[in-house]
């Protein structure tokens, strides 16, 4: 499971390998610096909007679930990235978006697009959905047995661009296809602890 994966990465990343030896009557302790650090970044903003004319998404930014329906709704997410260590190279960062499937009516696929306007769930946006930018990930399958499980999407290329400053971090949109009808826990859901997360693995200094 993803929890096990994160735990294993954290253990591997933060474990100190130490040994001691006595030389000339003095005790020395040698340690190997961590090779990487794992971080779980929650969204600053999340919500969903109906794609049909005449609907507004303003009231859907405070709900406990994020509703994604193919050709009907879009889910918006935005993350503020933590600062990288001075020694870290943005080109070495790895990133995975983790979403908890709390309701699944029909399997399908989802794609991730950049947003071309800043997403703020507290702002009343127009009746039209926010404009989409380039597609980052296309056609991630969501299987029929995915209920109460985590869905994972590799966003490494996008996050590296955010850190490098070559891509504006305005937020992302999840768009369903192939009949997908699904709900994810939002950050407002304080009952399960399954909010969306951007899982980062950041290389550390060489040991």
């Amino acid at each position: 499971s993803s929890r096990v994966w994160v735990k294993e990465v954290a253990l591997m990343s933060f474990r100190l390998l130490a040994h001691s030896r006595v030389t000339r009557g003095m005790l020395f302790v040698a340690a190997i610096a961590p090779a990487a650090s794992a971080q779980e970044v929650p969204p600053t903003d999340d919500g969903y909007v109906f794609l049909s004319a005449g609907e507004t998404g303003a009231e859907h930014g405070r709900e406990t679930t994020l509703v994604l329906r193919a050709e009907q709704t879009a889910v918006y997410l935005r993350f503020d990235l933590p600062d990288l260590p001075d020694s870290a190279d943005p080109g070495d960062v790895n990133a995975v978006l983790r979403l908890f499937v709390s309701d699944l009516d029909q399997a399908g696929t989802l794609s991730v697009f950049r947003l071309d306007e800043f997403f703020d769930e507290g702002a009343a946006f127009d009746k039209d959905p926010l404009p989409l930018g380039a597609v980052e990930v296309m056609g991630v399958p969501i299987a029929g047995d995915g209920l109460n499980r985590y869905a994972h999407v590799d966003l490494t290329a996008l996050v590296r661009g955010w850190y490098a400053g070559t891509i504006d971090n305005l937020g992302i949109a999840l768009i369903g296809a192939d009949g997908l009808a699904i709900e994810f826990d939002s950050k407002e859901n304080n009952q399960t602890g399954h909010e969306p997360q951007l899982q980062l693995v950041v290389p550390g200094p060489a040991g």
Side-chain angles (χ1 to χ4, degrees):
S1 69
S2 59
R3 287 184 180 273
V4 173
W5 177 83
V6 171
K7 186 176 294 184
E8 289 176 349
V9 172
L11 287 173
M12 178 182 65
S13 303
F14 295 108
R15 184 173 56 231
L16 290 178
L17 178 61
H19 63 85
S20 62
R21 58 191 176 95
V22 176
T23 303
R24 294 181 181 178
M26 298 184 65
L27 179 66
F28 294 90
V29 177
I32 295 178
S37 63
Q39 300 185 56
E40 297 177 342
V41 182
T44 55
D45 300 83
D46 61 5
Y48 70 94
V49 60
F50 282 95
L51 300 177
S52 58
E55 294 276 4
T56 175
E59 69 270 25
H60 302 300
R62 305 294 186 190
E63 298 184 10
T64 58
T65 58
L66 303 168
V67 178
L68 185 59
R69 299 282 188 270
E71 302 180 0
Q72 297 181 39
T73 68
V75 168
Y76 297 150
L77 300 166
R78 188 172 62 81
F79 298 88
D80 281 347
L81 299 179
D83 292 337
L84 291 178
D86 292 340
S87 59
D89 184 344
D92 293 331
V93 175
N94 292 285
V96 173
L97 174 65
R98 187 179 76 167
L99 304 161
F100 185 77
V101 180
S102 57
D103 189 64
L104 177 57
D105 292 334
Q106 186 170 331
T109 61
L110 68 82
S111 298
V112 179
F113 290 77
R114 304 178 198 172
L115 284 174
D116 269 355
E117 284 187 15
F118 186 83
F119 171 52
D120 177 0
E121 71 174 37
F125 29 104
D126 296 332
K127 292 183 178 180
D128 293 330
L130 296 176
L132 300 181
V135 61
E136 284 296 326
V137 182
M138 179 67 74
V140 177
I142 304 295
D145 62 353
L147 180 63
N148 293 325
R149 297 183 179 181
Y150 287 102
H152 298 88
V153 184
D154 189 344
L155 294 183
T156 294
L158 177 62
V159 171
R160 288 179 179 179
W162 287 345
Y163 269 122
T166 57
I167 301 174
D168 291 331
N169 183 7
L170 304 176
I172 58 175
L174 309 181
I175 304 294
D178 302 314
L180 183 66
I182 196 171
E183 294 182 15
F184 305 112
D185 280 2
S186 75
K187 66 179 177 61
E188 282 78 19
N189 191 329
N190 57 12
Q191 302 299 314
T192 64
H194 295 154
E195 65 183 357
Q197 288 185 344
L198 191 62
Q199 299 181 322
L200 303 178
V201 176
V202 180

